[in-house]
């Protein structure tokens, strides 16, 4: 065991058992926090530290099928619980993720299923270590010093609810005389800004930012924020999670789907852009990576990797294209050019102008390649598709709306529905309704023009990949018919102007016709049953409010409808620029722009901020900028954090409410990210809550907090008779299970699940903690829910979702040209966006690329996740930390030689935004592109026990009790948690936008690939 871990856990154990306080004693009896014996000073033997996976029922253990949340991939898990403690996690063989798309039959009896083992990854295996971390919080905290001072004290539950609900001079005892707003002040339909009522009511002053959130809790929190309080501002973190590739798919599908990937089961060739398929991804490494590796070994599949850093999968890849960071778009556009130039496109598919023609030719989704676009700046509909009503205003609405094409050899434009084959590469002048000519081009022609805007040599120079290699990979991609597709992920487009890079990458699939095709580019197939409707209406309720106005992140909001725009126009200007960007065309979940909006009080000021499992100071590139925002009561008058720990961000909170881990109570219904699958995984608790309880015995957690706040404020949707049923009855919502068990009943009903037999019901009732609440459901519903719980969800076989080679749950249309995108604007310049994929230079909000920085800051930082560590939270994962307890500054060996560096040297990385920089140890490697430094993202913490805190009565607060906190209230800091470096701490800030983190101006994608740094040697390698 590493020295640091030996230190903390040896100390923890000694102090824990010496402590003798009531809290510590109770914890000892009930939870057995994560400690090791003295004998564990010797190296860990995996056979000693973890039980084998359960393969048969054991009289002294419970076995629970549930869904993992150690990362967001949502694999099934089988938890083994002994004496109330989770001791092992393995896979769930009913779940297709754990069985590489080939699970055991759904009607396999539960008892028999236990004989089948299936894998989970190391992150899941560390779940017990994580949930029993001695640094977990048990009771609510209130700040007892200035914001950010790290001083807290416990607060009683009723006081917590009253203070958050009502506000007041809550910190006068600390010398802060200001009035702190409570939620009650926000329950008003008066405008939040009387000068601009379109921004919505005062209710929008509540901003609820969510970190890791999945279906189940998402619906519960939305019920409170959007429908009870009525705020627009429940904003997720999709932007930092991976908005880049999703924006490409958002454009390709026109917002219908964002999770598209190559089919790992039947693809012949996969081009992997910026995805660490053997170590991360959704679906996770047990699924996607394992399938790719296994099919590659069997000679069924080939793949190539595009990444500045050679991922582990590169060892099996046909090619490694070491692209320059942020230039994946140039590479994809070069491939498009090559495919067009050499005729390696699927003309039969692209020329089919309507769904009937597409089906007749045996393809899965209409592509709008042949549809005509108005390309005439004088026309009011410039950039829109030419529709029949433009040619003939007398047509009825349906006929008038039909898009227009040229038939293959036709000279006059016709309705797209009227032809079997369309001209693909065409531009023309046609007469509009007034008799004037207007110029039109096919969507394909527009794409071709964009691709031909640069030569192959230029593209090769821009993206840093040899032209011959680009051409070879493009030819290979186009040589597998519809069984070639891309899998793109965070690296592909998570940077400024990443929308167009990801759109170009997604468009490659359209050019070969592989969208919706077996072995091609597929969405997930959705879930089974409908959680929020059917037997119980969990979506709407009497008195529910409809949130309106503009989100503080300005996502999905049209700037041109704002008072700011009108005011600027009235003053004689163009209306542009807006003060900060607005994002009409985005998937949304823009937590970075939400925080920037809070910082600038734009378009209005936030009053009450909730952060849920959200650590922006650590997790956002340039998030260090927001420490001052969170510390400022004028910008964040009240901050309530819900979390399992004190982290780098809620250090600035006024209140911290402890939450449950996923193993204890993140109820949920989890649908696939995976291509070609349809399922709903059911997550129910494996163990009882580890947090303290309210005076009436409910566990302290997100749901209990929101229920009690809503009840005190008499908000609709919670408390007495809040849940309507299909028969006209009403049911109370007083605890989490009132909501989730009814959602499970809805799913079972919608998915037509048959009732479980007596044996399975007896097993669930004996082994699943949720069964303590079985009285919420009538018997018949409970029996059906039991069958689902016993299997960890509802799962359909892969083959059920195909008719021949066509995926029946796929996209309705593939947008090679996106009209909505083309009609929206960059609100800082007023310029319209391109409607097709195009190469766009990565640049800041002022349009400056980063070339000026390169003389002083010659290296570009790229980040990645390893297979062992999970975002920011795995520092509590003992086994992962045993294997890797710090990250490195990974540099190409040639760069190291030039700088006189060797592996182990300590260096400083400094950027123009953070000249003081961050430090770490060098790893020389040939697996990183020269000119780049790769830093994995998990390390360099100052929260979670890595930094100082002072907490009154701390032995009652932390799960480890007196083992982790002294009598003086000072936390026992674990120095090992602070090892390594966090690359986000050196990320560039945008000087044009108030030194806030840089974002893509189309979709709001934060930048992970543009930071330039210089590298200074500090200390030579320590032996
Ligand atoms: S990939 Fe690993 S951590 Fe992620 S959900 Fe699957 S088992 Fe859990």
């Amino acid at each position: 065991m590493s020295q640091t871990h030996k230190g903390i856990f040896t100390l923890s154990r000694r102090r824990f058992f010496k402590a003798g306080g009531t809290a510590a004693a109770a914890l000892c009896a009930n939870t057995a926090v994560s400690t090791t014996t003295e004998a564990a000073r010797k190296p860990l033997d995996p056979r000693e530290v973890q039980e084998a996976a359960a393969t048969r029922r054991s009289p002294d253990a419970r076995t629970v099928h549930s869904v993992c949340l150690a990362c967001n991939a949502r694999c099934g898990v089988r938890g083994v619980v002994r004496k109330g403690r989770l001791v092992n996690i393995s896979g769930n063989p009913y779940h297709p993720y754990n069985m590489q798309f080939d699970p055991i039959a759904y009607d396999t009896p539960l008892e028999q299923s236990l004989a089948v083992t299936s894998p989970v990854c190391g992150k899941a295996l560390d779940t017990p270590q994580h949930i029993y971390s001695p640094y977990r919080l048990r009771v609510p905290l209130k700040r007892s010093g200035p914001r950010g001072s790290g001083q807290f004290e416990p607060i009683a539950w009723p006081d917590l609810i009253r203070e958050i609900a009502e506000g007041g001079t809550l910190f006068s005892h600390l010398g802060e005389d200001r009035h702190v707003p409570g939620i009650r002040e926000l329950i008003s339909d008066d405008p939040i800004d009387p000068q601009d009522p379109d921004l919505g009511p005062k209710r929008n002053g509540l901003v609820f930012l969510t970190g890791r959130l999945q279906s189940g809790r998402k619906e519960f929190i939305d019920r409170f924020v959007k429908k009870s309080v009525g705020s627009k501002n429940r904003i997720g973190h999709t932007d930092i999670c991976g908005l880049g590739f999703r924006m490409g798919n958002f454009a390709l599908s026109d917002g219908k789907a964002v999770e598209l990937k190559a089919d790992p089961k039947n693809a012949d060739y996969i081009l992997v852009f910026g995805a660490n398929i053997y170590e991360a991804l959704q679906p996770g490494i047990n699924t996607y990576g394992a399938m790719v590796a296994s099919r590659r070994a069997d000679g069924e599949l080939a793949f190539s990797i595009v990444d500045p850093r050679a991922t582990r999968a590169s060892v099996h890849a046909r090619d490694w294209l070491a692209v320059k960071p942020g230039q994946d778009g140039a590479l994809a556009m070069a491939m498009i050019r090559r495919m067009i130039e050499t005729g390696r496109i699927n003309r039969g598919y692209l020329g089919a102008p309507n769904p009937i023609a597409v089906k007749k030719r045996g393809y899965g989704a209409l592509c709008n390649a042949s549809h005509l676009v108005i390309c005439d700046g004088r026309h009011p509909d410039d950039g829109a598709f030419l529709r029949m009503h433009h040619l003939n205003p007398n047509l009825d609405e349906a006929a008038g709306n039909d898009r227009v094409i040229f038939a293959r050899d036709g000279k006059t434009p016709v309705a797209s529905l009227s032809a079997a084959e369309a001209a693909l590469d065409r531009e023309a002048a046609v007469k509009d309704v007034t008799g004037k000519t207007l110029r039109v081009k096919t969507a394909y022609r527009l794409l071709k023009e964009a691709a031909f805007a640069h030569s192959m040599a230029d593209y090769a120079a821009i993206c840093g990949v040899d032209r011959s290699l680009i051409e070879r990979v493009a030819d290979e991609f186009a040589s597998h018919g519809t069984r070639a597709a891309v899998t793109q992920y965070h690296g592909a487009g998570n940077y400024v102007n990443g929308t167009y890079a990801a759109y170009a990458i997604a468009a490659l699939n359209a050019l070969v016709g592989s969208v919706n095709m077996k072995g091609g580019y597929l969405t997930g197939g959705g879930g089974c049953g409908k959680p929020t409707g059917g037997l119980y209406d969990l979506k709407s309720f009497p008195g529910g409010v409809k949130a309106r106005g503009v989100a503080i992140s300005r996502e999905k909001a049209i700037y041109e409808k704002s008072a700011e725009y009108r005011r600027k126009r009235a003053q004689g200007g163009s209306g542009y620029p807006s003060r900060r960007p607005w994002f009409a065309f985005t998937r949304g979940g823009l937590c970075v722009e939400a925080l920037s909006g809070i910082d600038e009080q734009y378009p209005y000021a936030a009053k009450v901020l909730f952060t849920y499992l959200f650590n922006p100071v650590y997790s956002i590139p340039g998030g260090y900028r927001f420490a001052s925002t969170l510390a400022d009561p004028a910008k964040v008058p009240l901050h309530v954090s819900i979390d399992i720990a004190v982290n780098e961000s809620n250090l600035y909170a006024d209140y911290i409410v402890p939450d449950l881990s996923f193993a204890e109570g993140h109820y949920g219904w989890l649908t696939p990210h995976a291509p070609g699958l349809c399922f709903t995984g059911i997550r129910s608790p494996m163990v009882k809550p580890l947090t303290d309880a309210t005076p009436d015995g409910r566990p302290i957690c997100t749901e209990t907090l929101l229920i009690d706040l809503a009840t005190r404020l008499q908000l609709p949707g919670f408390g007495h008779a809040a849940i309507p049923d299909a028969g006209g009855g009403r049911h109370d919502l007083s605890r989490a299970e009132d909501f989730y068990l009814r959602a499970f009943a809805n799913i079972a009903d919608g998915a037509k699940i048959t009732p479980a037999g007596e044996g399975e019901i007896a097993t669930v009732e004996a082994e699943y903690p949720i069964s303590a609440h079985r009285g919420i459901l009538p018997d018949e519903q409970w029996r059906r829910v039991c069958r689902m719980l016993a299997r960890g969800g509802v799962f359909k076989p892969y083959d059920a979702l195909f008719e021949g080679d066509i995926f029946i749950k796929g996209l309705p249309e593939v947008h090679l040209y996106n009209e909505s995108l083309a009609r929206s604007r960059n609100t800082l310049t007023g310029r319209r966006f391109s409607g097709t994929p195009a190469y766009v230079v990565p640049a800041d909000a002022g349009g400056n690329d980063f070339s000026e920085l390169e003389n002083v800051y010659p290296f570009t930082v790229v980040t990645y996740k390893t297979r062992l560590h999970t975002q920011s939270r795995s520092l509590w994962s003992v086994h992962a930390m045993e294997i890797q307890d710090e990250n490195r500054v990974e540099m190409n060996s040639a760069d190291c030689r030039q700088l006189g560096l060797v592996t182990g040297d300590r260096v400083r990385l400094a950027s123009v935004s953070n000249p003081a920089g961050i430090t770490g140890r060098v790893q020389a490697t040939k697996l990183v592109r020269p000119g780049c430094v790769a830093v994995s993202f998990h390390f360099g913490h100052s929260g979670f026990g890595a930094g100082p805190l002072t907490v009154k009565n701390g032995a009652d607060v932390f799960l480890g009790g007196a083992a982790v906190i002294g009598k003086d209230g000072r936390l026992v800091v674990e120095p090992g948690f602070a090892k390594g470096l966090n690359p986000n701490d050196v990320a560039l800030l945008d000087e044009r936008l108030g030194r806030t983190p840089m974002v893509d101006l189309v979709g709001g994608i934060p930048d992970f690939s543009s930071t330039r740094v210089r590298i200074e040697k500090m200390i030579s390698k320590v032996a």
Side-chain angles (χ1 to χ4, degrees), residues 68-77 98 120-124 284-286:
C68 186
L69 187 54
C71 83
N72 195 37
R74 14 186 115 168
C75 303
V77 287
N98 301 95
V120 286
C121 77
K123 300 186 287 284
I285 56 180
N286 321 300

Side-chain angles (χ1 to χ4, degrees), residues 654-870:
D654 297 314
Y655 300 89
I656 304 177
V657 182
D659 205 358
L660 306 174
S661 75
F662 85 86
E664 306 148 62
H666 287 219
Y667 290 95
W669 44 90
L670 296 315
T671 55
H673 293 109
L677 289 180
C678 172
F679 66 74
T680 298
I682 297 291
R683 182 184 299 120
S684 75
M686 295 182 274
V687 290
K688 289 184 179 162
L690 296 171
T691 56
D692 205 1
T694 60
D696 63 0
R698 292 166 301 148
I700 289 176
C701 63
T702 299
E703 289 84 356
T704 308
L705 174 71
L706 301 186
I707 289 168
D708 286 8
L709 284 171
T711 305
R712 180 178 178 101
L713 292 161
Q714 295 182 303
L715 296 176
F718 292 88
H720 180 61
I723 300 177
D725 69 27
R730 297 272 202 89
H731 307 272
D732 294 352
L733 174 42
S734 304
R735 60 184 310 145
E737 289 78 10
D738 289 331
F739 186 80
Y740 296 118
L741 258 171
R742 292 191 171 91
F744 293 169
N746 280 342
I747 294 168
D749 184 61
K752 300 189 173 32
I753 299 294
T754 55
E758 294 305 329
E760 284 188 2
I761 291 172
T763 302
V764 169
E765 293 188 349
E767 310 208 350
Y768 284 58
I770 192 176
S771 62
H773 307 282
R774 59 150 298 177
I776 289 170
L777 297 180
D779 260 12
E780 192 273 342
Q781 291 175 17
W782 171 246
R783 292 168 71 98
R784 295 206 272 164
V785 167
C786 277
R787 183 168 165 85
M788 213 169 62
L789 289 170
R791 287 157 178 75
V794 190
F795 309 102
K796 285 196 179 167
Y798 169 90
D799 285 332
L801 300 177
F802 289 87
E803 278 173 6
D805 266 5
I806 295 176
F807 182 52
I808 58 176
K809 295 228 175 183
L811 299 183
E813 181 173 340
V814 177
H815 296 254
L816 218 45
Y817 181 84
N818 190 298
E819 185 179 40
S820 315
L821 175 58
R823 302 273 289 165
S824 60
R825 292 177 189 270
N826 175 336
T827 66
L828 298 185
T829 63
R831 281 199 284 274
R832 285 232 309 260
F833 293 122
S834 166
T836 63
Y839 173 64
V840 185
V841 180
D844 65 16
N848 307 304
D849 67 17
F850 307 102
S851 53
E852 274 190 11
L853 293 175
E854 284 170 2
N855 284 338
V856 182
Y857 302 97
F859 291 91
T860 306
V861 179
V862 295
T863 65
Y864 69 98
K865 288 191 282 188
T866 71
R867 69 211 177 283
L868 285 169
H869 287 277
T870 171

